[in-house]
Amino acid sequence: MKNWTVLISLSAYLSASAVAMYASPTAAACGSGPDYCTDDPRIPAKLASKKNALAGEYPTRLISLLDRGVQCVARIQQSPNGFSLVIVKKGQIDVLAWDEDNETATKAEMAAGTVDHYWIVNSRRAFSCDGQASYDQQPDYVAADDVNSSLALKCGNGGSC
């Protein structure tokens, strides 16, 4: 009877393993799990869905920020469903939800000299998909502003944004 139990258990294990490998073909593609793999075939559809969901509320220049950087499903799912202004003043940083009124007011403050510059971001810090360094170890990290610049729009006097 013990031999049958072992045989049934082994058979069940092998069947479950085969199903797991078939059901998640990207699981072996990276060491962090399928949602963190950068070659996951779900990425284009997930990214398009997120962009479509935000397109009714935000201008194209902001939606295009979602295309920047390394993509993985976890990043797409965990990133904010909106955008922020990171406003750099002398001695402080303020973060506001992006809307046209907040950006217009920030531009006026910049013209008055109370704001040095500002960033528009979906997320200030880069998400670490499989194999990526932490946000603060990536070459685009601006420590003074706590922003990964390659994922943001930087706006300053005389510059477009």
Side-chain angles (χ1 to χ4, degrees), residues 57-63 65 83-89 94-112 114-121 152-157 159-161:
E57 290 183 62
Y58 299 99
T60 304
R61 71 185 174 112
L62 302 189
I63 300 298
L65 290 174
F83 298 88
S84 299
L85 296 166
V86 178
I87 304 164
V88 180
K89 299 178 179 184
D94 294 331
V95 180
L96 299 174
W98 183 92
D99 66 31
E100 288 183 39
D101 292 338
N102 283 343
E103 187 171 9
T104 299
T106 301
K107 286 178 181 178
E109 288 183 62
M110 197 165 45
T114 57
V115 168
D116 182 51
H117 61 276
Y118 66 97
W119 302 86
I120 301 176
V121 299
L153 296 174
K154 185 175 183 181
C155 310
N157 279 326
S160 64
C161 176

Side-chain angles (χ1 to χ4, degrees), residues 67-83:
D67 293 320
R68 296 183 180 191
V70 176
Q71 300 291 342
C72 61
V73 170
R75 174 188 174 197
I76 296 164
Q77 291 176 336
Q78 295 177 33
S79 65
N81 290 322
F83 298 88

